[in-house]
Amino acid sequence: MNETAETPPAQHVADSHDLIRVHGARVNNLKNVSIDIPKRRLTVFTGVSGSGKSSLVFGTIAADSQRMINETYSAFLQGFMPTLARPDVDRLEGLTTAIIVDQERMGANSRSTVGTATDANAMLRVVFSRIGMPHLGSPQAFAFNVPSVSGSGAVTMDKAGRTVKERRSFTVTGGMCPRCEGMGRVSDIDLTQLYDDSKSLAEGAMTIPGYTADGWGVRIFTGSGFLDPNKPIRDYSKRELDDFLYHEPTKVKVGDINMTYEGLIPKVQKSFLSKDREAMQPHIRAFVDRAVTFATCPDCGGTRLNEGARSSRVAGLNIAEACAMQISDLVEWVRAIRDPTVAPLLAALTQTLDSFVSIGLGYLSLDRPAGSLSGGEAQRTKMIRHLGSSLTDVTYVFDEPTIGLHPHDIEHMNALLLQLRDKGNTVLVVEHKPETIAIADHVVDLGPGAGTAGGVICFEGSVEALRSSDTLTGRHLDDRRSLKREVRSPSGALQVRGATAHNLRQVDVDIPLGVLVVITGVAGSGKSSLVHGSLPVRDGVVSIDQGAIKGSRRSNPATYTGLLDPIRSAFAKANGVKPALFSANSEGACPNCNGAGVIFTDLGMMASVASTCEVCEGKRFQASVLDYHLAGRDISEVLAMSLAEAEEFFASGEARTPAAHAILHRLVDVGLGYLSLGQPLTTLSGGERQRLKLAIHMAEKGDVYVLDEPTTGLHLADVEQLLALLDRLVDSGKSVIVVEHHQAVMAHADWIIDLGPGAGHDGGLIVFEGTPAAIVAERSTLTGKHLAAYVES
């Protein structure tokens, strides 16, 4: 017998690198974590919110992969790229190119739409420029971000040794509507909200945020020479008022500084109205809402396009009508176009649009503003460009891709994750939903707790092994809440009549008060439209949405919740000094690091280095401030406390501070007792931020609470605590309305309102309203079928 025939071929050394190896990771709360992750497999990372999942996946593996890719570019190019610091890890081996698909909301730019963000608009513009009738010109003739401009003038050039002048002219045909400048809406500014005309500029007439009498925003007006700073605005002549409000940009000298002076109206339009409202800070948003009224542009009807772009048609539609169509309908319209001159482009466009439908976003339209997408919709929209990609052997990193998905839609998402894996890619997913954990090839469970109690690998292995393990995730993986035997009786009802917001179709519904109401339905069925767009606007309604918390690394739970104010006052009163001394952002700041606690050293094109301040040793305060104590603790020791410790500290004794204790009690109540008072907001996970907002809103005087997917980012074990909190709210006499997909919350509800039957124009109807027991018994809707399977499994 030939022995060589039976000897298996030796593995090529290049095929031996089938693991991503992490050695000694210490990012955020990770405690010297070392782990091997299989390549070309689907690995799911689980653990309670704040256990260190994102620190390991995003902060360590993905961050170092991106940093190393950036280092392959020249030092010149790196100077134009964001500098990424090396993660705090001993060694990483076997990394591949990482593609991060996170939950960050898309487009803080009001010109960004679903079509522009996915390149579908670009392809559609080329189609119209080639076969649209009448023919207008290049694709930019259909772009709402390109204005039509023309110009002429003399050009001087050398010809045959002589200098000659020739007259030249040019024309650019763009698609931008000139009235609204491609925004789709026009604004009318209320001048009374910009200034008090009874005062002069020197007396502080300006009422715009940031425009103080001694600030540069006002000094450019007072020092321009166009206006008298001591004259009340109501006494301005017609010429002065025109210069004040509408003056064209002009170079002026204010003191010794050259500056550009322009009227107040264009200045406000550029600095406030060109930004997406959702991306503004709360006080800026309040000013814009107060000072500006928006209306649909009368010239373009909100399409953003000029008359020329709207006149050219393909197969009976112009580009504005095509972009306004639901994508599931648009793809059928594209398929029906038969023109060999654009066949390859139509095939690519069809593939992109089909990806929208397969990923559960067929209910969107291409003209939908990108900033209006939820976190889950934004994440799935970013996936579009990767589904048809020819790349293999890359690492895809997802942050809870099932957010905002009905159990019916999660099945599609799971299929897409497996599709990416089967192309030979490594797929890393941070996830809490048991439906997605179940399809994993490999599971990594972090914990055992959150914050300082987490950061350790509790388990790694198969899903079956996780079930039999004694970890928190393993014990709760097969948790099933049973239906309530007795439901509460409503004390009244909120009446909604003839609701037509977005895709709602003349919906009439009575939402019970005094009970726990869950509004559910597939993604895009009209839940948010009903709750946020159609509920009667009334006093006492507290709405908690999924909007991101904005804050710098100087912000922390104590500053964000207003907790630091009573703490500073308590320290000041106990020591007979000013409260400002106990702020690391004010008088008490360490002069060496300006209260940051770290020194950032800029190394040009290399990553900047952060080192602990040697003077304050990272405590952020001057040494003299730390000599002041409250109940034996200095301010830095108090900020280092966990919220649970601080609640006890401020409850009684010398440190008793009722105002601080009330805020701390709410923070502990929502399950954030493990966070420290001084932990930077930038290190908080998505679930922690959501609960932080919930704690703040609980203090508002409201009798109706509206929550938009409060289980976002919550571990299976934490959902139990959330339900107990909602029960306490209802039992205290409040009404709680929850938009939710989590079956545990549905099973716990007193009343369910189910929208559907589908998404987009296939939704917008009430398909069921009643008790959870009734929807399970009927099984007439998608929600009923999935909830029945959940409670019976």
Side-chain angles (χ1 to χ4, degrees):
M1 184 180 289
N2 186 353
E3 291 184 12
T4 57
E6 294 184 3
T7 306
Q11 186 185 34
H12 194 287
V13 66
D15 297 328
S16 63
H17 303 286
D18 53 0
L19 292 172
I20 295 174
R21 298 179 186 272
V22 181
H23 299 274
R26 293 174 295 277
V27 173
N28 295 330
N29 67 331
L30 295 179
K31 296 174 181 169
N32 222 35
V33 165
S34 297
I35 187 172
D36 292 346
I37 301 166
K39 285 186 183 175
R40 293 175 287 281
R41 296 292 184 271
L42 173 59
T43 301
V44 173
F45 294 80
T46 64
V48 295
S49 180
S51 60
K53 305 181 297 297
S54 295
S55 298
L56 177 59
V57 179
F58 290 91
T60 306
I61 298 170
D64 209 44
S65 172
Q66 288 205 312
R67 181 185 67 83
M68 294 172 82
I69 289 168
N70 285 4
E71 286 185 356
T72 63
Y73 297 109
S74 69
F76 173 74
L77 284 177
Q78 286 183 51
F80 295 97
M81 301 168 78
T83 53
L84 303 171
R86 187 183 187 281
D88 188 4
V89 59
D90 292 337
R91 195 165 73 255
L92 285 167
E93 298 172 359
L95 289 182
T96 67
T97 304
I99 295 174
I100 299 172
V101 189
D102 58 20
Q103 294 175 34
E104 288 299 313
R105 295 291 181 103
M106 291 176 65
N109 187 333
S110 50
R111 294 187 179 278
S112 180
T113 65
V114 169
T116 59
T118 56
D119 296 337
N121 251 56
M123 290 187 272
L124 204 54
R125 289 199 300 266
V126 176
V127 170
F128 273 85
S129 71
R130 297 289 185 273
I131 62 174
M133 295 301 293
H135 178 71
L136 294 184
S138 70
Q140 62 189 15
F142 299 92
F144 55 75
N145 287 332
V146 180
S148 294
V149 293
S150 60
S152 61
V155 178
T156 304
M157 62 184 73
D158 289 333
K159 271 190 177 180
R162 290 186 309 127
T163 301
V164 295
K165 283 188 177 182
E166 290 186 6
R167 189 161 184 80
R168 296 283 177 89
S169 61
F170 73 94
T171 303
V172 174
T173 304
M176 179 187 286
C177 169
R179 173 79 178 268
C180 63
E181 297 185 344
M183 304 294 280
R185 51 192 188 153
V186 288
S187 56
D188 187 21
I189 298 176
D190 182 358
L191 297 180
T192 62
Q193 298 295 332
L194 304 186
Y195 56 84
D196 179 353
D197 66 359
S198 67
K199 295 180 180 178
S200 68
L201 293 176
E203 292 171 331
M206 297 272 205
T207 55
I208 304 169
Y211 281 64
T212 55
D214 55 350
W216 277 107
V218 175
R219 280 177 66 185
I220 192 168
F221 285 94
T222 58
S224 64
F226 292 110
L227 308 168
D228 180 351
N230 299 308
K231 188 177 183 180
I233 295 175
R234 65 166 60 144
D235 295 337
Y236 281 2
S237 65
K238 188 177 180 183
R239 172 70 181 274
E240 284 176 315
L241 194 61
D242 193 75
D243 284 342
F244 175 51
L245 294 176
Y246 304 107
H247 202 288
E248 293 290 318
T250 309
K251 293 287 183 188
V252 296
K253 199 157 192 170
V254 180
D256 296 327
I257 303 171
N258 291 319
M259 302 186 78
T260 301
Y261 173 85
E262 65 179 331
L264 185 62
I265 298 296
K267 199 185 246 313
V268 167
Q269 287 173 329
K270 286 177 186 173
S271 55
F272 295 109
L273 305 190
S274 61
K275 295 174 184 171
D276 181 38
R277 181 185 173 279
E278 299 305 315
M280 295 174 179
Q281 292 175 297
H283 70 289
I284 302 290
R285 191 185 310 159
F287 162 72
V288 171
D289 291 345
R290 191 173 66 244
V292 186
T293 54
F294 294 100
T296 301
C297 175
D299 286 10
C300 67
T303 62
R304 304 170 179 242
L305 294 160
N306 59 29
E307 191 176 351
R310 302 196 309 273
S311 68
S312 184
R313 293 182 174 269
V314 171
L317 294 181
N318 64 32
I319 191 167
E321 292 164 342
C323 288
M325 289 176 78
Q326 188 166 303
I327 289 174
S328 56
D329 296 334
L330 178 63
V331 69
E332 299 305 323
W333 175 78
V334 172
R335 277 201 182 93
I337 300 172
R338 297 278 183 267
D339 193 312
T341 60
V342 288
L345 186 63
L346 291 172
L349 179 57
T350 302
Q351 183 183 18
T352 299
L353 297 176
D354 277 335
S355 296
F356 272 103
V357 177
S358 67
I359 212 165
L361 294 177
Y363 60 88
L364 296 179
S365 59
L366 294 183
D367 64 1
R368 171 90 174 258
S372 69
L373 299 180
S374 69
E377 288 170 334
Q379 183 162 217
R380 283 177 283 153
T381 301
K382 293 175 197 172
M383 278 183 77
I384 300 292
R385 62 177 67 245
H386 304 305
L387 293 178
S389 171
S390 304
L391 290 173
T392 61
D393 259 333
V394 298
T395 300
Y396 285 96
V397 186
F398 293 96
D399 189 6
E400 292 189 65
T402 59
I403 279 181
L405 289 185
H406 188 271
H408 172 72
D409 300 310
I410 290 176
E411 295 171 6
H412 296 299
M413 177 56 72
N414 284 350
L416 294 167
L417 294 173
L418 294 172
Q419 181 186 327
L420 285 173
R421 178 203 66 184
D422 293 345
K423 284 167 63 178
N425 298 306
T426 305
V427 182
L428 308 181
V429 183
V430 173
E431 188 53 86
H432 293 292
K433 294 279 175 67
E435 298 97 322
T436 301
I437 296 173
I439 65 164
D441 302 309
H442 189 72
V443 179
V444 177
D445 189 31
L446 282 98
T452 54
V456 176
I457 303 292
C458 297
F459 169 86
E460 50 179 317
S462 67
V463 179
E464 284 310 311
L466 175 67
R467 277 199 170 89
S468 56
S469 72
D470 193 33
T471 65
L472 191 64
T473 304
R475 292 196 299 273
H476 287 274
L477 192 59
D478 293 317
D479 274 5
R480 296 293 182 269
R481 282 199 74 85
S482 54
L483 296 171
K484 275 186 177 176
R485 292 184 180 177
E486 292 183 17
V487 295
R488 301 177 182 94
S489 299
S491 59
L494 274 177
Q495 292 189 340
V496 176
R497 295 290 179 265
T500 56
H502 298 123
N503 65 331
L504 295 178
R505 293 188 263 171
Q506 292 292 331
V507 166
D508 294 337
V509 65
D510 291 340
I511 302 175
L513 293 174
V515 296
L516 176 58
V517 179
V518 170
I519 297 177
T520 188
V522 296
S525 59
K527 304 180 298 298
S528 295
S529 300
L530 177 64
V531 171
H532 299 301
S534 306
L535 270 183
V537 177
R538 47 175 268 183
D539 291 336
V541 175
V542 178
S543 183
I544 306 166
D545 61 15
Q546 294 182 39
I549 285 177
K550 293 183 172 58
S552 68
R553 56 173 173 255
R554 287 180 177 271
S555 303
N556 53 50
T559 58
Y560 185 75
T561 58
L563 172 61
L564 208 53
D565 291 334
I567 291 176
R568 284 200 294 254
S569 298
F571 266 93
K573 187 177 178 183
N575 294 281
V577 292
K578 289 192 296 184
L581 278 177
F582 302 98
S583 170
N585 297 327
S586 185
E587 292 182 29
C590 164
N592 191 48
C593 63
N594 293 322
V598 290
I599 302 288
F600 292 93
T601 308
D602 186 11
L603 299 177
M605 78 280 294
M606 306 296 287
S608 61
V609 176
S611 54
T612 302
C613 174
E614 294 177 356
V615 176
C616 67
E617 298 177 342
K619 293 180 180 177
R620 303 175 60 194
F621 291 91
Q622 297 175 23
S624 59
V625 173
L626 301 182
D627 291 335
Y628 298 116
H629 291 82
L630 177 67
R633 302 286 185 101
D634 66 42
I635 185 69
S636 68
E637 289 171 332
V638 168
L639 289 176
M641 286 181 179
S642 72
L643 295 171
E645 278 181 79
E647 185 194 15
E648 288 183 27
F649 180 73
F650 289 106
S652 58
E654 186 190 337
R656 184 175 180 274
T657 311
H661 183 261
I663 298 172
L664 286 161
H665 180 70
R666 289 194 296 272
L667 289 165
V668 172
D669 214 20
V670 297
L672 294 177
Y674 59 87
L675 291 182
S676 69
L677 272 70
Q679 183 173 337
L681 285 188
T682 50
T683 64
L684 265 55
S685 67
E688 288 167 339
R689 296 179 189 195
Q690 176 95 332
R691 283 179 285 162
L692 189 58
K693 287 172 67 176
L694 177 58
I696 290 172
H697 286 296
M698 279 171 61
E700 295 180 21
K701 301 296 180 195
D703 50 17
V704 179
Y705 284 83
V706 179
L707 288 79
D708 194 352
E709 294 192 56
T711 60
T712 297
L714 285 189
H715 185 265
L716 298 161
D718 295 326
V719 172
E720 193 78 30
Q721 186 173 1
L722 175 74
L723 292 174
L725 174 64
L726 298 181
D727 275 342
R728 287 200 297 277
L729 282 172
V730 175
D731 292 340
S732 69
K734 311 290 186 186
S735 303
V736 180
I737 301 167
V738 183
V739 175
E740 190 53 82
H741 295 291
H742 203 296
Q743 291 109 314
V745 182
M746 293 183 207
H748 195 69
D750 297 308
W751 193 259
I752 286 182
I753 297 173
D754 192 15
L755 280 97
H761 59 48
D762 296 324
L765 296 172
I766 303 289
V767 292
F768 175 86
E769 48 183 321
T771 63
I775 196 171
V776 166
E778 286 186 21
R779 302 184 193 214
S780 57
T781 68
L782 282 170
T783 301
K785 290 170 186 169
H786 282 278
L787 187 56
Y790 170 83
V791 296
E792 291 169 6
S793 61

